Amino acid sequence: MRRLQAWMVTAILFAVTIRLLWWSVEPLVPYIVVGLFIVTIIGFVWFRSTRW
């Protein structure tokens, strides 16, 4: 029983940690997506312009 309790406490702490991390990152997701899109476009244009 002791082992099960320790496992449950660990699982709950892990779930709370993941939840807090998600809440801190969630507002940044649109900026990350836009940034990746811009970097991809610039990289593609650079690749096309420097290719032989």
Side-chain angles (χ1 to χ4, degrees):
M1 193 67 175
R2 208 61 152 149
R3 196 173 190 142
L4 181 64
Q5 274 182 333
W7 187 85
M8 290 287 285
V9 168
T10 304
I12 289 171
L13 282 174
F14 182 72
V16 168
T17 304
I18 294 297
R19 196 70 168 150
L20 287 174
L21 282 172
W22 175 247
W23 280 341
S24 63
V25 170
E26 187 182 13
L28 303 174
V29 169
Y31 300 110
I32 293 169
V33 170
V34 169
L36 282 174
F37 181 73
I38 291 171
V39 167
T40 303
I41 296 298
I42 290 172
F44 180 73
V45 168
W46 179 79
F47 174 75
R48 295 286 287 174
S49 67
T50 58
R51 221 171 53 164
W52 286 58

